[in-house]
Amino acid sequence: MKRNEVLRQIPKIDEVLKEHLFSNAFEKSGRDVVTSMARKVIDGVRAEILALSDDELEHYDVKKLSISYIADEIKDILEADEVNHLHGIINATGTILHTNLGRAPLCEDAVRNVEMVSRGYSNLEYDVKLGNRGSRHDILQELMVELTGAEDVMIVNNNASATMLVLSAMAEGHEVVVSRGELVEIGGAFRIPDIMEQSGATLHEVGTTNKTKPSDYEKAINEKTGALMKVHTSNYKIMGFTEEAELDDLVAIGKEHDIPVIFDMGNGLMVNLADYGLDEPNVPASLGTGIDVILFSGDKLLGGPQAGIIAGKRKFIEKMKKHPLARALRVDKMTFAAMEETLKKYRDTKVAMRDIPVLRMITTTHEVLLERAESLADKIRTSNSKLNVKIVDADDQIGGGSAPMVFLPGVAVAVTSDKTTTKGLERTLRKHEIPVIARIHEDELLFSVRTVLDRELDDIAAALREVE
Ligand SMILES: *Cc1c(COP(=O)(O)O)cnc(C)c1O
């Protein structure tokens, strides 16, 4: 057959888009969207034919040019288009704050409040009592003051924004003293020295990588000093022959020299989790030292939405609220809605531990983990009797650049197949309709149940149904 003859057999768009075949799609996505998908498919077919060698053209299956075949292809891409680029996945890695997997899952009440506030209008910047303009900065003020003892708070887009704003408002044109052991990089391009430069402050490094004494800060103070800053080394630990200045020491030095002290604490832990092996600073204790300003993330150990929270002395926070960057870094109503419900849980530590997923996952007992693992193992065996399934111990982690040396003793279901490689199993699960992210350890596929919700157990078993 001549190429031109084959090309002539490609149906016209109008012939393919018959009302009876596409009425639902027209209604749902709109005629223009369906037409543009159809054009893409038909153009693709034309390009394919033009690229065929003469020999391939000889064997070309013209059935692929039938109206019904092409209509099916269009329906397939319309269906694929319904899956959003951002969608839920199941985290079976046992890492609680996985930065790649969206960090903290929100508590149910936060989710409900986001839905309620975002569906309609809200009093985001409106004082309902007075009938005039209000400020979004007031929304969490009272609650945060009650929970942390800070004089004032401010919430911005994330902790990187918070660092930028704090340094710009408090130390632009001045020196900020930081220990050489704390010049951290928090993934990607967030490096303390770089952000310092962006903010217009000058970094004044003191001490050495492994040892910095209070006197090192004191000696660095001069007429250009704008602040002393401590950065929590969230994602690494310096071990061995080490020394660092405690927050108390810095606060005392700051008071003596009338220089403000800033603490980038990172994880935003609001409760004491020492009983669970987590020796991390927490927000109320850090503020209790009398420090001027602390800043932390909303979606790490606090367990809320992505945000940066700045808490401390009123005179500094007021200045930040008026800073030109404040508008650029402000958060929207959905963040406030989620944050308020999350923070309310902290009025009672027991309620926080029960309702905030991140805290619940950290504190889940071995007994509960074992029960969940047994239930998952049973479901997998029922779903696919060909797989080898057993229960093993697992090292779970906090993750998200928090507490790198802490391993939580966890329980996992280990799966292998006699026919499919473990890598192949891992890939199949990742590509499932609801992707399941598991990890390979010693050539077994491990499902750590600490980060898996009870309602997700069936989905994991279903994802393993088809594998050999
Ligand atoms: C995580 C972290 C940051 C960055 O916080 P984001 O909310 O991710 O912007 C900054 N400083 C420290 C110490 C951190 O742990």
Side-chain angles (χ1 to χ4, degrees):
M1 225 183 330
K2 292 239 179 59
R3 201 174 300 264
N4 274 344
E5 274 171 43
V6 178
L7 287 171
R8 257 201 302 280
Q9 289 189 43
I10 301 176
K12 302 270 170 308
I13 266 195
D14 297 345
E15 291 171 344
V16 180
L17 293 183
K18 296 238 172 69
E19 199 64 42
H20 70 279
L21 288 176
F22 284 95
S23 59
N24 283 344
F26 288 150
E27 174 74 26
K28 188 151 189 258
S29 315
R31 237 165 234 275
D32 289 349
V33 173
V34 180
T35 307
S36 111
M37 298 275 185
R39 188 164 294 125
K40 228 190 251 170
V41 170
I42 290 174
D43 287 350
V45 171
R46 181 171 297 113
E48 187 196 337
I49 293 168
L50 286 171
L52 292 177
S53 67
D54 290 343
D55 189 43
E56 285 166 336
L57 192 66
E58 203 60 43
H59 299 98
Y60 188 73
D61 182 4
V62 286
K63 272 210 258 15
K64 281 163 78 179
L65 302 179
S66 72
I67 288 177
S68 68
Y69 190 92
I70 289 185
D72 280 346
E73 252 182 59
I74 297 168
K75 282 183 186 164
D76 283 349
I77 64 166
L78 280 168
E79 205 172 288
D81 187 57
E82 275 176 25
V83 180
N84 286 327
H85 285 90
L86 179 63
H87 53 78
I89 55 117
I90 295 173
N91 175 10
T93 64
T95 298
I96 297 171
L97 293 171
H98 212 300
T99 298
N100 304 143
L101 307 185
R103 287 202 186 151
L106 296 178
C107 64
E108 287 301 325
D109 287 313
V111 173
R112 260 195 294 280
N113 203 31
V114 170
E115 189 179 344
M116 211 145 71
V117 166
S118 54
R119 182 165 284 137
Y121 297 99
S122 63
N123 63 337
L124 182 64
E125 290 194 344
Y126 184 73
D127 189 321
V128 182
K129 276 196 204 113
L130 300 176
N132 56 24
R133 199 187 154 127
S135 167
R136 69 180 71 206
H137 295 314
D138 295 340
I139 297 171
L140 295 176
Q141 215 263 355
E142 232 173 274
L143 185 56
M144 270 309 268
V145 167
E146 172 198 327
L147 293 173
T148 66
E151 285 179 12
D152 203 355
V153 293
M154 181 176 178
I155 170 164
V156 290
N157 186 50
N158 55 17
N159 197 25
S161 311
T163 313
M164 187 74 195
L165 178 59
V166 166
L167 291 172
S168 302
M170 294 176 69
E172 194 179 356
H174 290 86
E175 288 182 3
V176 177
V177 185
V178 186
S179 158
R180 289 198 172 88
E182 298 175 1
L183 297 173
V184 308
E185 168 170 326
I186 311 282
F190 182 87
R191 287 174 163 186
I192 289 290
D194 297 344
I195 215 136
M196 188 84 69
E197 197 181 323
Q198 281 292 323
S199 73
T202 311
L203 174 64
H204 188 140
E205 298 175 26
V206 293
T208 60
T209 306
N210 57 328
K211 279 205 174 206
T212 305
K213 300 178 175 56
S215 58
D216 292 324
Y217 291 86
E218 198 146 27
K219 274 184 266 173
I221 292 173
N222 61 56
E223 70 283 356
K224 286 179 283 177
T225 307
L228 309 181
M229 184 174 182
K230 189 164 175 62
V231 183
H232 182 47
T233 55
S234 313
N235 51 7
Y236 66 96
K237 274 263 180 295
I238 297 177
M239 317 266 281
F241 187 59
T242 66
E243 186 174 342
E244 62 177 305
E246 297 298 329
L247 224 42
D248 286 324
D249 302 326
L250 292 194
V251 170
I253 296 169
K255 277 220 174 76
E256 199 185 319
H257 297 268
D258 199 21
I259 289 171
V261 181
I262 302 164
F263 180 35
D264 174 8
M265 74 165 290
N267 66 42
L269 181 63
M270 294 282 286
V271 293
N272 188 337
L273 289 181
D275 287 350
Y276 299 89
L278 213 69
D279 185 23
E280 289 281 309
N282 66 63
V283 174
S286 302
L287 283 165
T289 60
I291 194 164
D292 295 284
V293 168
I294 71 168
L295 43 145
F296 48 93
S297 296
D299 55 354
K300 290 184 181 171
L301 288 173
L302 187 139
Q306 179 190 303
I309 299 177
I310 307 166
K313 299 270 162 70
R314 184 168 298 115
K315 67 170 175 178
F316 298 114
I317 310 270
E318 295 257 280
K319 208 169 158 196
M320 292 173 211
K321 288 177 179 171
K322 294 194 188 107
H323 194 279
L325 270 178
R327 169 78 183 227
L329 305 177
R330 76 181 188 184
V331 297
D332 75 332
K333 58 194 173 202
M334 293 196 275
T335 303
F336 278 112
M339 191 59 89
E340 186 164 16
E341 284 292 341
T342 307
L343 289 174
K344 271 188 187 166
K345 301 287 180 193
Y346 284 101
R347 285 175 165 160
D348 184 321
T349 307
K350 282 208 186 70
V351 173
M353 300 285 209
R354 183 193 66 197
D355 292 351
I356 296 178
V358 167
L359 297 183
R360 190 171 58 227
M361 286 174 188
I362 293 174
T363 58
T364 309
T365 61
H366 192 265
E367 204 182 339
V368 169
L369 292 176
L370 195 57
E371 229 171 80
R372 195 180 298 155
E374 274 162 3
S375 163
L376 176 60
D378 284 345
K379 285 174 194 287
I380 293 174
R381 286 187 193 108
T382 311
S383 169
N384 188 334
S385 58
K386 281 178 259 165
L387 296 171
N388 313 309
V389 181
K390 65 179 185 195
I391 289 173
V392 297
D393 290 333
D395 280 337
D396 296 336
Q397 269 194 292
I398 305 281
S402 299
M405 304 306 285
V406 175
F407 288 95
L408 306 165
V411 184
V413 177
V415 175
T416 54
S417 154
D418 298 331
K419 286 210 181 133
T420 310
T421 62
T422 304
K423 267 203 176 123
L425 286 179
E426 190 269 342
R427 203 175 317 118
T428 306
L429 281 152
R430 197 155 30 82
K431 292 186 174 167
H432 192 253
E433 192 182 339
I434 308 170
V436 182
I437 314 299
R439 75 196 145 101
I440 296 174
H441 181 68
E442 291 176 356
D443 210 27
E444 293 177 327
L445 192 59
L446 294 197
F447 300 89
S448 239
V449 293
R450 186 186 296 275
T451 47
V452 175
L453 310 175
D454 281 326
R455 63 177 152 81
E456 293 171 337
L457 299 180
D458 286 320
D459 296 320
I460 297 177
L464 285 166
R465 186 163 297 139
E466 303 296 328
V467 300
E468 286 286 309

